[in-house]
Amino acid sequence: QHPANDLALRSIAVYGTYLGQRQREHLEGIFHCPILNYYGISEIAGAVAEECVVCRGFHFPPIVVPEVIDLVHLKPTKGDFGELLLTGLLPYCSIQPILRLRTGDLVQVVRDCPVDKDISVRPMGRISRSLVHPNLGILFPSFLGREVIDSVDVVARDTTAQLTALCLSSTFGPPRYDVKLDMLEGSEAMELKV
């Protein structure tokens, strides 16, 4: 029996880097409890969103106003993907107000969560590491590349050897993949090299 089974944990909170589905399932299998992701930025006090167990989106506290803008027109999006903007509310931002901070993070808008009626988002990676078309918008979010790589046994690191190695993941260090967009015979083709 594994020592983690004796801990009787209710949940484990992770933050600081992306946790892929394979890594989440691995940790849940060891600790026998749900793994909850947190998303936050240091520029705005209180800008920490907790992953909702119902919609798997991230809900911000009432002291932070999230917005999502379209990557092409830089206006509030009516679509599913865009860049996350955050505004801190009083009293936490009274010394240094920050309005509509562009985070550089690509998010998916999650609608109709029964837990929280406000906007909920699902981080999809950094815009600078995603494949973005100037007219079409997002084509390949960086988190999707990490999910694909983590799902390939030959590429993904083995974290089952020791409990202390659980913090290791294929998301640390330089990317081991390359995504490029080419025009082939009048149509666009995307290639993922691992």
Side-chain angles (χ1 to χ4, degrees):
Q1 183 172 353
H2 202 285
N5 295 345
D6 299 331
L7 297 177
L9 298 173
R10 289 182 295 189
S11 66
I12 294 177
V14 295
Y15 55 91
T17 190
Y18 173 69
L19 183 68
Q21 187 61 32
R22 179 183 173 130
Q23 297 161 326
R24 176 195 297 267
E25 290 169 1
H26 179 72
L27 291 172
E28 286 176 344
I30 290 175
F31 292 105
H32 305 288
C33 67
I35 305 296
L36 300 177
N37 276 317
Y38 282 81
Y39 168 87
I41 61 169
S42 59
E43 291 86 352
I44 297 176
V48 177
E50 180 178 354
E51 183 180 22
C52 177
V53 295
V54 176
C55 71
R56 289 292 183 203
F58 288 72
H59 300 290
F60 282 91
I63 59 170
V64 177
V65 177
E67 297 177 73
V68 180
I69 60 169
D70 179 84
L71 295 176
V72 176
H73 304 101
L74 303 179
K75 297 189 184 297
T77 183
K78 293 184 177 22
D80 292 331
F81 294 94
E83 181 177 2
L84 179 65
L85 276 61
L86 296 175
T87 298
L89 300 178
L90 293 172
Y92 299 101
C93 68
S94 59
I95 294 175
Q96 181 181 357
I98 299 178
L99 305 174
R100 304 188 77 217
L101 173 71
R102 293 184 66 180
T103 63
D105 290 329
L106 176 67
V107 295
Q108 178 181 15
V109 178
V110 180
R111 293 181 173 86
D112 303 325
C113 178
V115 175
D116 190 343
K117 301 297 181 196
D118 290 335
I119 187 174
S120 175
V121 298
R122 188 173 295 127
M124 299 300 292
R126 300 289 296 165
I127 293 172
S128 61
R129 296 182 187 148
S130 298
L131 184 61
V132 180
H133 188 278
N135 297 322
L136 302 174
I138 188 68
L139 297 177
F140 194 80
S142 64
F143 280 9
L144 182 58
R146 290 178 174 176
E147 286 286 347
V148 169
I149 288 172
D150 279 348
S151 70
V152 178
D153 288 328
V154 175
V155 179
R157 293 183 188 172
D158 180 15
T159 59
T160 59
Q162 296 179 7
L163 193 57
T164 57
L166 287 175
C167 62
L168 297 177
S169 75
S170 62
T171 59
F172 287 98
R176 290 178 273 173
Y177 64 94
D178 182 36
V179 179
K180 74 176 188 176
L181 181 68
D182 288 323
M183 292 294 290
L184 299 173
E185 299 175 12
S187 62
E188 295 178 8
M190 184 171 48
E191 179 181 16
L192 172 65
K193 290 182 180 180
V194 178

